Amino acid sequence: MQSLGCDVAALNTVQFSNHTGYRQFTGTRVSASEITDLYRGLKQSYLDDFDMMLSGYVPGAPALEAVGEIAKELKEKAQTRGKPGSFFWVLDPVMGDNGSLYVAQDVVPVYKGLVKYADLILPNQFEAELLSEVKIVDMPSLTRAISVLHERYAIPHIIITSVSLPDSSSPSFTAPNSSAPTPTPQEEGQSQPPRTKTLSVVGSTMTSTRQPRAFQISFPAIDCYFSGTGDMFSALMLVRMREAVYNTEGGLTERESWLSDDAVDALDLPLAKAAEKVLGSMHEVLTKTAEGMKGRVERARGFVEEQLKREEQRANGVNGCANGNGNGDGHVDKKAKLEPETNGNGVPGEEKTEEERVKGEEDERRKQVEELEKEEAEARKRLHLMKSKSAELRLVRHLDSLRHPEVEFRARRIECS
């Protein structure tokens, strides 16, 4: 947001050393009282003149309620001033993904109580199911979920991210600097080639009667794991939504929730224009991150594989080492003569029995094997940490893609029953 010209006051909801994708981290979750206290500090210094707010991951219900109180207070202040369009809340209801929650169960009802105050929500497919209580399995059920969110909660703007449905239509993306949709193979009279895997976002701005004006934007999926895509999408949507609204004539900035007239088509909505531009930036940054990731991961894998190879050679040396009788087969010669051991001065000490010597050798080998296994586990852990770092989006290095994306995506209208 700062790279696109926003002055940002950040209130952290967690203080972690790193994101949880590393599978290890230190730090603490911020309490509700700490969030409230930080906001009170901003107010007492007259630093609460915000025109937009973005909320994301909040780990617990009390802290989420504290965040919601801040948003409600700012919305009420805008209403009191007679300028309802002067504050806009973008809410990313972070609860889970792929059918699983990664917040406490009591967070879900708190979100259901807060979304009616939001101007734009950005749930993923699973989160949209939780909020609408509609199981999304195809496009009709998806549009039904959107209709429920508009009707039940009066949410003005909705974008459902990471939509993956079995009956998705052809991608709606174009080459850089191209203004015309890419013709499909059928349009060109060609046979159908293997389809590129695509994902979609589906958005809608409601009418004055809470009816959806829905659109879909599809884009090619990149076969990589990335960290930070959700945060990037929500931050860019905040900026681009404001930009699209301010570029729209008719005093839209003065209206509550920046709601367009009912006559405005779904494809002409500021929400659709904003999403098109955001996905262009996202695709460019993810593509460039993936290109750099390959080299970083290969170097990390090479380093770890070399380390594992050395450890394997050591392990083979341990498992196949010669015993004290020179047989080299890892077995003790039962007929071997037991030589008396000496102390440090060369004076003969107590003789060890055959069983004691066998047990000593086995203990030593077991200790060495355990040490090698521990080193191997540590090497694999290091590879995971290196991969985790390489999966982080390289935003600062690709500011041009954030500000002026060349890749263009086009929304298409969706009919809602």
Side-chain angles (χ1 to χ4, degrees), residues 21-155:
Y22 281 85
R23 301 177 190 165
Q24 60 180 24
F25 59 91
T26 61
T28 59
R29 293 171 173 81
V30 177
S31 68
S33 61
E34 289 174 306
I35 293 172
T36 302
D37 187 57
L38 288 170
Y39 179 65
R40 185 167 57 248
L42 289 171
K43 284 202 303 180
Q44 70 183 15
S45 298
Y46 302 100
L47 298 174
D48 60 335
D49 54 338
F50 302 111
D51 54 9
M52 299 191 79
M53 173 174 160
L54 170 62
S55 59
Y57 175 68
V58 185
L64 179 57
E65 290 170 346
V67 170
E69 288 302 316
I70 294 173
K72 287 189 282 186
E73 180 179 320
L74 290 169
K75 287 184 74 71
E76 183 179 350
K77 185 170 70 170
Q79 293 282 359
T80 302
R81 293 166 52 200
K83 297 182 178 180
S86 64
F87 179 75
F88 191 94
W89 181 19
V90 180
L91 169 60
D92 184 0
V94 180
M95 292 181 281
D97 202 1
N98 298 318
S100 299
L101 285 173
Y102 40 67
V103 295
Q105 185 68 46
D106 61 355
V107 169
V108 178
V110 177
Y111 270 121
K112 288 184 176 181
L114 287 178
V115 290
K116 61 186 177 183
Y117 298 102
D119 299 291
L120 165 62
I121 66 168
L122 305 171
N124 59 33
Q125 186 171 325
F126 173 64
E127 292 158 349
E129 290 179 343
L130 291 175
L131 294 172
S132 67
E133 299 175 354
V134 175
K135 180 65 177 177
I136 298 173
V137 295
D138 51 22
M139 191 55 70
S141 59
L142 175 60
T143 57
R144 176 58 185 157
I146 290 175
S147 295
V148 168
L149 293 172
H150 282 319
E151 293 168 6
R152 182 181 300 170
Y153 302 108
I155 303 169

Side-chain angles (χ1 to χ4, degrees), residues 237-307:
M237 274 304 305
L238 178 143
V239 177
R240 295 307 185 190
M241 182 65 177
R242 186 178 189 276
E243 177 186 73
V245 168
Y246 273 77
N247 288 338
T248 301
E249 297 179 356
L252 192 57
T253 58
E254 300 176 4
R255 298 184 188 179
E256 184 174 4
S257 299
W258 299 343
L259 270 176
S260 301
D261 291 334
D262 290 355
V264 177
D265 185 76
L267 303 187
D268 296 323
L269 293 167
L271 186 68
K273 299 298 183 184
E276 288 174 344
K277 198 162 188 177
V278 167
L279 289 173
S281 291
M282 293 282 295
H283 186 72
E284 287 189 21
V285 172
L286 265 60
T287 299
K288 293 173 181 178
T289 299
E291 291 171 352
M293 185 191 304
K294 293 176 182 178
R296 290 189 294 272
V297 170
E298 286 304 315
R299 287 193 296 273
R301 181 177 288 111
F303 172 82
V304 171
E305 287 179 350
E306 181 62 28
Q307 188 173 350

